[in-house]
Amino acid sequence: MRPLDPLGGGAPAQPDLNLLRTFLAVYRSGSFTAAAQLLGLSQPTVTTQIRSLERQTGRELFERLPRGVAPTAVADELAARVAGPLDALAEATGHGPRESRAEPVHLAGPAELLATRALPALAPLVTEGVRLRVTAGLTEPLLDELRAGRHDLVIATTRPRGRTLSAVPLTDEEFVLVAAPSWAGRVARRAEDLPAALHDVPLITYAEDLPIVRRYWRHVFGRRLNCRAAVSVPDLRAVLALVTAGAGFSVLPRYLCAGDLASGALVLLDAPEDAPINTGFLVRRPGTSANPHVTLVRDRLLEAGRAW
C-alpha cells in the first residue's frame, strides 16, 4: 500500500524526505535563497524541489513575493505536521540542535546598543568559550541578511514584518531631550515655549531626516519639528559626545546618556509624563541551529534586557 500524501488527503503519493526538508527550510527562512544557504544547495535546486512538491500535493505552498515568499494556509498545515518529525529525525541522526559545534555566534544590531548594553552582558559567556562575530547596522538591511543566513541573531529596533521571522521583545528604550548645562540655562529662561526656545540652539542628530527628534516633537509637543540639523552623524555615541561638549541639543535614548545625566554633564530639558518609548526585539535566524551557543547568547540577552 502506498502512503497517503503529507497533507492528509486521500490521494496516494510517495513522500520524499528531501523535498519535505527543503520545504521546511523555505517555510522557516522565508525565501528560496536563504533556504539554499541553510541546506547547502543551489537556489535553482531549492526552487525545483518546491515546484516538485507542489506538483505532488497539487497545492500551492508559497506565494512568490518581490522579496522572499509567504506561506499559504496549506503550507502552514503541512509545516505543523512535518516539523516535529523532521526535527526529531535530524536530532537522532546527529544533525539536530543538540549537537555542539561551538561555531561563532553571528550577532547584529545597532552599534550603540551592542557596544553599551549587549556585548558587556555577553562578556561572561565569552570567558566560558562562546565566540562572537558582531555586525553593526540598520534594522531592515540586517533583517534581510538574517533571512539570507548571514546572522544568527539580530537586535531590531522594529518588529519584523511577516510570519517568517521569530521575534521577542528585548527592551524598551526611552527617549529624552538633553543639552549641556550651558545651553540648558539659556533655554530655561524661555521654558514657557520650549520648542520655540530651542529653535536657535544647534540641533545634533543621528540622520538628516531627524527621525528620533521628529518623533519626540510629535509625541510630546504635538507639533511638527521645523528646524534643520547643525550636525548629522550616524552614530548616537558621537551625537552624545557633541552634545556633552556643548555643541547643541538632541534627543537620545536614556540608556545611552544615563551616566552623563547622573554626573551633571547633561541636563534634561523636558520631563514629560509620557515620554516616547521604542521597543527593541531580538530576532533569531529561521530554522534550527546546530550551534548550542546561539541559544546561550539569546537567553542571556533576554535576561539582561529586562534590566536595560
Side-chain angles (χ1 to χ4, degrees):
M1 179 180 294
R2 299 177 67 188
L4 298 180
D5 78 59
L7 292 176
Q14 184 65 44
D16 185 326
L17 288 179
N18 288 328
L19 297 186
L20 292 177
R21 289 191 187 99
T22 299
F23 158 77
L24 194 58
V26 173
Y27 182 87
R28 286 171 164 170
S29 66
S31 82
F32 291 167
T33 301
Q37 293 188 4
L38 293 172
L39 296 170
L41 301 174
S42 68
Q43 190 271 337
T45 297
V46 169
T47 301
T48 299
Q49 290 186 354
I50 294 300
R51 287 175 177 168
S52 177
L53 185 59
E54 288 179 327
R55 285 195 299 270
Q56 287 188 19
T57 61
R59 315 283 184 89
E60 182 184 29
L61 298 173
F62 297 101
E63 178 187 357
R64 278 60 169 177
L65 304 174
R67 182 179 293 180
V69 295
T72 64
V74 175
D76 289 335
E77 179 186 353
L78 178 57
R81 298 187 62 181
V82 306
L86 287 179
D87 288 344
L89 179 61
E91 183 177 311
T93 56
H95 296 88
R98 292 183 182 177
E99 182 188 9
S100 176
R101 298 180 183 176
E103 298 173 349
V105 177
H106 293 262
L107 172 67
E112 303 83 4
L113 189 59
L114 288 170
T116 62
R117 288 292 186 266
L119 294 180
L122 296 175
L125 295 184
V126 175
T127 64
E128 295 172 4
V130 172
R131 294 187 293 156
L132 299 172
R133 299 295 181 265
V134 181
T135 301
L138 299 176
T139 287
E140 286 304 321
L142 291 179
L143 290 177
D144 287 341
E145 293 170 359
L146 182 74
R147 294 183 180 97
R150 288 186 56 183
H151 311 300
D152 297 307
L153 297 165
V154 167
I155 298 175
T157 56
T158 58
R159 182 184 289 276
R161 297 186 297 272
R163 296 176 293 175
T164 60
L165 294 179
S166 174
V168 292
L170 175 64
T171 186
D172 288 333
E173 55 181 9
E174 176 190 350
F175 292 114
V176 292
L177 182 62
V178 295
S182 57
W183 282 114
R186 302 184 204 181
V187 170
R189 292 193 290 270
R190 299 178 58 192
E192 69 281 356
D193 189 350
L194 184 56
L198 289 170
H199 186 76
D200 296 326
V201 180
L203 169 59
I204 316 300
T205 185
Y206 176 84
E208 192 67 31
D209 59 348
L210 319 178
I212 299 175
V213 189
R214 287 187 187 279
R215 179 182 174 187
Y216 191 97
W217 248 243
R218 289 196 306 268
H219 184 93
V220 175
F221 301 128
R223 66 177 76 174
R224 180 179 179 182
L225 178 67
N226 186 26
C227 66
R228 301 171 64 181
V231 179
S232 173
V233 52
D235 189 318
L236 289 175
R237 292 166 298 181
V239 174
L240 172 62
L242 280 165
V243 175
T244 304
F249 80 97
S250 190
V251 175
L252 291 167
R254 182 182 285 274
Y255 78 82
L256 191 62
C257 57
D260 294 291
L261 288 170
S263 70
L266 285 182
V267 176
L268 283 176
L269 300 178
D270 190 28
E273 293 184 2
D274 180 24
I277 289 177
N278 186 66
T279 300
F281 296 87
L282 187 59
V283 191
R284 187 165 185 171
R285 180 165 65 90
T288 59
S289 171
N291 185 357
H293 288 178
V294 173
T295 300
L296 288 178
V297 171
R298 176 185 181 274
D299 291 348
R300 175 58 185 150
L301 287 175
L302 291 176
E303 178 186 1
R306 292 195 291 266
W308 295 347

CSV table of all heavy atoms in Angstrom, one decimal, residues 228-269:
chain,number,residue,atom,x,y,z
A,228,ARG,N,16.5,72.5,11.0
A,228,ARG,CA,17.5,71.7,10.3
A,228,ARG,C,18.6,71.3,11.3
A,228,ARG,O,18.9,72.0,12.2
A,228,ARG,CB,18.0,72.4,9.1
A,228,ARG,CG,16.9,72.8,8.1
A,228,ARG,CD,17.4,73.6,7.0
A,228,ARG,NE,18.4,72.9,6.2
A,228,ARG,CZ,19.0,73.5,5.1
A,228,ARG,NH1,18.8,74.8,4.8
A,228,ARG,NH2,19.9,72.8,4.4
A,229,ALA,N,19.3,70.2,11.0
A,229,ALA,CA,20.4,69.8,11.8
A,229,ALA,C,21.6,70.6,11.6
A,229,ALA,O,21.9,71.0,10.5
A,229,ALA,CB,20.7,68.3,11.5
A,230,ALA,N,22.2,71.0,12.7
A,230,ALA,CA,23.6,71.6,12.6
A,230,ALA,C,24.6,70.6,12.3
A,230,ALA,O,25.6,70.8,11.5
A,230,ALA,CB,23.9,72.4,13.9
A,231,VAL,N,24.5,69.4,12.9
A,231,VAL,CA,25.4,68.3,12.7
A,231,VAL,C,24.6,67.0,12.5
A,231,VAL,O,23.7,66.8,13.3
A,231,VAL,CB,26.4,68.1,13.8
A,231,VAL,CG1,27.3,66.9,13.5
A,231,VAL,CG2,27.2,69.4,14.0
A,232,SER,N,24.9,66.2,11.5
A,232,SER,CA,24.3,64.9,11.3
A,232,SER,C,25.4,63.9,11.3
A,232,SER,O,26.3,64.0,10.5
A,232,SER,CB,23.5,64.9,10.0
A,232,SER,OG,23.0,63.6,9.8
A,233,VAL,N,25.3,62.9,12.2
A,233,VAL,CA,26.4,61.9,12.3
A,233,VAL,C,25.7,60.6,12.7
A,233,VAL,O,25.0,60.5,13.6
A,233,VAL,CB,27.4,62.3,13.4
A,233,VAL,CG1,26.8,62.6,14.7
A,233,VAL,CG2,28.5,61.2,13.5
A,234,PRO,N,25.9,59.5,11.8
A,234,PRO,CA,25.2,58.3,12.0
A,234,PRO,C,25.7,57.4,13.1
A,234,PRO,O,26.0,56.2,12.9
A,234,PRO,CB,25.3,57.6,10.6
A,234,PRO,CG,26.7,58.1,10.2
A,234,PRO,CD,26.8,59.5,10.6
A,235,ASP,N,25.9,58.0,14.3
A,235,ASP,CA,26.4,57.2,15.5
A,235,ASP,C,25.9,58.0,16.7
A,235,ASP,O,26.4,59.1,16.9
A,235,ASP,CB,27.9,57.0,15.5
A,235,ASP,CG,28.4,56.1,16.6
A,235,ASP,OD1,27.8,56.1,17.7
A,235,ASP,OD2,29.3,55.2,16.3
A,236,LEU,N,25.0,57.4,17.4
A,236,LEU,CA,24.4,58.1,18.6
A,236,LEU,C,25.5,58.4,19.7
A,236,LEU,O,25.3,59.3,20.4
A,236,LEU,CB,23.3,57.3,19.2
A,236,LEU,CG,22.0,57.2,18.4
A,236,LEU,CD1,21.0,56.3,19.1
A,236,LEU,CD2,21.4,58.6,18.2
A,237,ARG,N,26.5,57.6,19.7
A,237,ARG,CA,27.6,57.9,20.6
A,237,ARG,C,28.3,59.2,20.3
A,237,ARG,O,28.7,60.0,21.1
A,237,ARG,CB,28.6,56.7,20.7
A,237,ARG,CG,28.0,55.5,21.3
A,237,ARG,CD,28.9,54.2,21.0
A,237,ARG,NE,28.9,54.0,19.6
A,237,ARG,CZ,29.6,53.0,19.1
A,237,ARG,NH1,30.3,52.1,19.9
A,237,ARG,NH2,29.6,52.8,17.8
A,238,ALA,N,28.5,59.4,19.0
A,238,ALA,CA,29.1,60.7,18.5
A,238,ALA,C,28.1,61.9,18.8
A,238,ALA,O,28.6,62.9,19.2
A,238,ALA,CB,29.4,60.6,17.0
A,239,VAL,N,26.8,61.6,18.6
A,239,VAL,CA,25.8,62.7,19.0
A,239,VAL,C,26.0,63.0,20.4
A,239,VAL,O,26.0,64.2,20.8
A,239,VAL,CB,24.4,62.2,18.6
A,239,VAL,CG1,23.4,63.2,19.1
A,239,VAL,CG2,24.3,62.0,17.1
A,240,LEU,N,26.0,62.0,21.3
A,240,LEU,CA,26.2,62.2,22.7
A,240,LEU,C,27.4,63.0,23.0
A,240,LEU,O,27.4,63.9,23.8
A,240,LEU,CB,26.2,60.9,23.4
A,240,LEU,CG,26.5,60.9,24.9
A,240,LEU,CD1,25.5,61.7,25.7
A,240,LEU,CD2,26.7,59.4,25.4
A,241,ALA,N,28.5,62.7,22.4
A,241,ALA,CA,29.8,63.3,22.6
A,241,ALA,C,29.7,64.8,22.3
A,241,ALA,O,30.2,65.7,23.0
A,241,ALA,CB,30.9,62.7,21.9
A,242,LEU,N,29.1,65.1,21.2
A,242,LEU,CA,28.9,66.5,20.7
A,242,LEU,C,28.1,67.3,21.7
A,242,LEU,O,28.4,68.4,22.0
A,242,LEU,CB,28.4,66.6,19.3
A,242,LEU,CG,29.4,66.3,18.2
A,242,LEU,CD1,28.6,66.0,16.9
A,242,LEU,CD2,30.3,67.5,18.0
A,243,VAL,N,26.9,66.7,22.1
A,243,VAL,CA,26.0,67.4,23.0
A,243,VAL,C,26.7,67.6,24.3
A,243,VAL,O,26.6,68.7,24.9
A,243,VAL,CB,24.7,66.6,23.1
A,243,VAL,CG1,23.8,67.3,24.1
A,243,VAL,CG2,24.0,66.5,21.7
A,244,THR,N,27.4,66.7,24.8
A,244,THR,CA,28.0,66.8,26.1
A,244,THR,C,29.1,67.9,26.0
A,244,THR,O,29.4,68.6,27.0
A,244,THR,CB,28.7,65.5,26.5
A,244,THR,OG1,27.7,64.4,26.6
A,244,THR,CG2,29.3,65.6,27.9
A,245,ALA,N,29.7,68.0,24.9
A,245,ALA,CA,30.8,69.0,24.7
A,245,ALA,C,30.2,70.4,24.5
A,245,ALA,O,31.0,71.4,24.4
A,245,ALA,CB,31.7,68.7,23.5
A,246,GLY,N,28.9,70.6,24.5
A,246,GLY,CA,28.3,71.9,24.4
A,246,GLY,C,27.9,72.3,23.0
A,246,GLY,O,27.6,73.5,22.7
A,247,ALA,N,27.9,71.4,22.0
A,247,ALA,CA,27.6,71.8,20.6
A,247,ALA,C,26.1,72.2,20.4
A,247,ALA,O,25.8,72.9,19.5
A,247,ALA,CB,28.0,70.7,19.7
A,248,GLY,N,25.2,71.6,21.2
A,248,GLY,CA,23.8,71.9,21.0
A,248,GLY,C,22.9,70.9,21.7
A,248,GLY,O,23.3,70.4,22.8
A,249,PHE,N,21.7,70.7,21.2
A,249,PHE,CA,20.8,69.8,21.9
A,249,PHE,C,20.5,68.6,21.0
A,249,PHE,O,20.8,68.6,19.8
A,249,PHE,CB,19.5,70.5,22.3
A,249,PHE,CG,18.5,70.6,21.2
A,249,PHE,CD1,17.5,69.8,21.0
A,249,PHE,CD2,18.7,71.7,20.2
A,249,PHE,CE1,16.6,69.9,20.0
A,249,PHE,CE2,17.8,71.9,19.2
A,249,PHE,CZ,16.7,70.9,19.1
A,250,SER,N,19.9,67.5,21.6
A,250,SER,CA,19.5,66.4,20.8
A,250,SER,C,18.5,65.6,21.6
A,250,SER,O,18.2,65.9,22.8
A,250,SER,CB,20.7,65.5,20.4
A,250,SER,OG,20.3,64.5,19.5
A,251,VAL,N,17.9,64.6,21.0
A,251,VAL,CA,17.1,63.6,21.6
A,251,VAL,C,17.8,62.2,21.6
A,251,VAL,O,18.2,61.8,20.5
A,251,VAL,CB,15.7,63.4,21.0
A,251,VAL,CG1,14.9,62.3,21.6
A,251,VAL,CG2,14.9,64.8,21.1
A,252,LEU,N,18.0,61.6,22.7
A,252,LEU,CA,18.8,60.4,22.8
A,252,LEU,C,18.1,59.3,23.6
A,252,LEU,O,17.3,59.7,24.5
A,252,LEU,CB,20.2,60.7,23.5
A,252,LEU,CG,21.2,61.6,22.7
A,252,LEU,CD1,22.3,62.1,23.5
A,252,LEU,CD2,21.7,60.8,21.5
A,253,PRO,N,18.5,58.1,23.4
A,253,PRO,CA,18.0,57.0,24.3
A,253,PRO,C,18.5,57.3,25.7
A,253,PRO,O,19.7,57.6,25.9
A,253,PRO,CB,18.5,55.7,23.7
A,253,PRO,CG,18.9,56.1,22.3
A,253,PRO,CD,19.3,57.5,22.4
A,254,ARG,N,17.7,57.1,26.7
A,254,ARG,CA,18.1,57.4,28.1
A,254,ARG,C,19.3,56.4,28.5
A,254,ARG,O,20.2,56.9,29.2
A,254,ARG,CB,17.0,57.2,29.1
A,254,ARG,CG,17.4,57.5,30.5
A,254,ARG,CD,16.2,57.3,31.5
A,254,ARG,NE,15.2,58.4,31.4
A,254,ARG,CZ,15.3,59.5,32.1
A,254,ARG,NH1,16.3,59.7,32.9
A,254,ARG,NH2,14.3,60.4,32.0
A,255,TYR,N,19.2,55.2,28.1
A,255,TYR,CA,20.3,54.3,28.5
A,255,TYR,C,21.7,54.8,28.0
A,255,TYR,O,22.7,54.5,28.7
A,255,TYR,CB,20.1,52.8,27.9
A,255,TYR,CG,20.4,52.7,26.4
A,255,TYR,CD1,21.7,52.5,26.0
A,255,TYR,CD2,19.4,52.8,25.4
A,255,TYR,CE1,22.1,52.3,24.7
A,255,TYR,CE2,19.8,52.6,24.1
A,255,TYR,CZ,21.1,52.4,23.7
A,255,TYR,OH,21.4,52.3,22.4
A,256,LEU,N,21.7,55.5,26.9
A,256,LEU,CA,23.0,55.9,26.4
A,256,LEU,C,23.6,57.1,27.1
A,256,LEU,O,24.8,57.2,27.2
A,256,LEU,CB,22.8,56.3,24.9
A,256,LEU,CG,24.1,56.5,24.1
A,256,LEU,CD1,24.9,55.3,24.0
A,256,LEU,CD2,23.7,57.0,22.7
A,257,CYS,N,22.7,57.9,27.7
A,257,CYS,CA,23.2,59.1,28.4
A,257,CYS,C,22.9,59.2,29.9
A,257,CYS,O,23.1,60.2,30.5
A,257,CYS,CB,22.6,60.4,27.7
A,257,CYS,SG,20.8,60.5,27.7
A,258,ALA,N,22.5,58.0,30.4
A,258,ALA,CA,22.2,58.0,31.9
A,258,ALA,C,23.4,58.4,32.7
A,258,ALA,O,23.2,59.1,33.7
A,258,ALA,CB,21.7,56.6,32.2
A,259,GLY,N,24.6,58.0,32.4
A,259,GLY,CA,25.7,58.3,33.2
A,259,GLY,C,26.0,59.8,33.2
A,259,GLY,O,26.3,60.4,34.2
A,260,ASP,N,25.9,60.4,32.0
A,260,ASP,CA,26.1,61.9,31.9
A,260,ASP,C,25.0,62.7,32.6
A,260,ASP,O,25.3,63.8,33.1
A,260,ASP,CB,26.2,62.3,30.4
A,260,ASP,CG,27.4,61.6,29.7
A,260,ASP,OD1,28.5,62.1,30.0
A,260,ASP,OD2,27.2,60.7,28.9
A,261,LEU,N,23.8,62.2,32.6
A,261,LEU,CA,22.7,62.9,33.3
A,261,LEU,C,23.0,62.8,34.8
A,261,LEU,O,22.8,63.8,35.5
A,261,LEU,CB,21.4,62.2,33.0
A,261,LEU,CG,20.8,62.5,31.6
A,261,LEU,CD1,19.6,61.7,31.3
A,261,LEU,CD2,20.5,64.0,31.4
A,262,ALA,N,23.5,61.6,35.3
A,262,ALA,CA,23.7,61.5,36.7
A,262,ALA,C,24.9,62.3,37.1
A,262,ALA,O,24.9,62.9,38.3
A,262,ALA,CB,24.0,60.0,37.0
A,263,SER,N,25.9,62.5,36.3
A,263,SER,CA,27.1,63.3,36.7
A,263,SER,C,26.8,64.8,36.5
A,263,SER,O,27.6,65.6,37.0
A,263,SER,CB,28.3,62.9,35.8
A,263,SER,OG,28.1,63.3,34.5
A,264,GLY,N,25.8,65.2,35.8
A,264,GLY,CA,25.6,66.6,35.5
A,264,GLY,C,26.2,67.1,34.3
A,264,GLY,O,26.0,68.3,33.9
A,265,ALA,N,26.9,66.2,33.5
A,265,ALA,CA,27.4,66.7,32.2
A,265,ALA,C,26.3,67.0,31.2
A,265,ALA,O,26.6,67.8,30.3
A,265,ALA,CB,28.3,65.6,31.7
A,266,LEU,N,25.2,66.4,31.4
A,266,LEU,CA,24.0,66.7,30.6
A,266,LEU,C,22.8,67.0,31.5
A,266,LEU,O,22.8,66.6,32.6
A,266,LEU,CB,23.6,65.5,29.7
A,266,LEU,CG,24.5,65.2,28.5
A,266,LEU,CD1,23.9,64.0,27.7
A,266,LEU,CD2,24.6,66.4,27.5
A,267,VAL,N,21.9,67.8,30.9
A,267,VAL,CA,20.7,68.2,31.7
A,267,VAL,C,19.5,67.8,30.9
A,267,VAL,O,19.4,68.0,29.6
A,267,VAL,CB,20.7,69.7,32.0
A,267,VAL,CG1,19.4,70.1,32.7
A,267,VAL,CG2,21.9,70.0,32.8
A,268,LEU,N,18.4,67.3,31.5
A,268,LEU,CA,17.1,67.1,30.9
A,268,LEU,C,16.5,68.5,30.6
A,268,LEU,O,16.3,69.3,31.5
A,268,LEU,CB,16.2,66.3,31.7
A,268,LEU,CG,16.5,64.8,31.8
A,268,LEU,CD1,15.5,64.1,32.8
A,268,LEU,CD2,16.3,64.1,30.4
A,269,LEU,N,16.1,68.7,29.4
A,269,LEU,CA,15.4,69.9,29.0
A,269,LEU,C,13.9,69.8,29.2
A,269,LEU,O,13.2,70.8,29.3
A,269,LEU,CB,15.7,70.3,27.6
A,269,LEU,CG,17.2,70.6,27.2
A,269,LEU,CD1,17.3,70.9,25.7
A,269,LEU,CD2,17.7,71.7,28.1
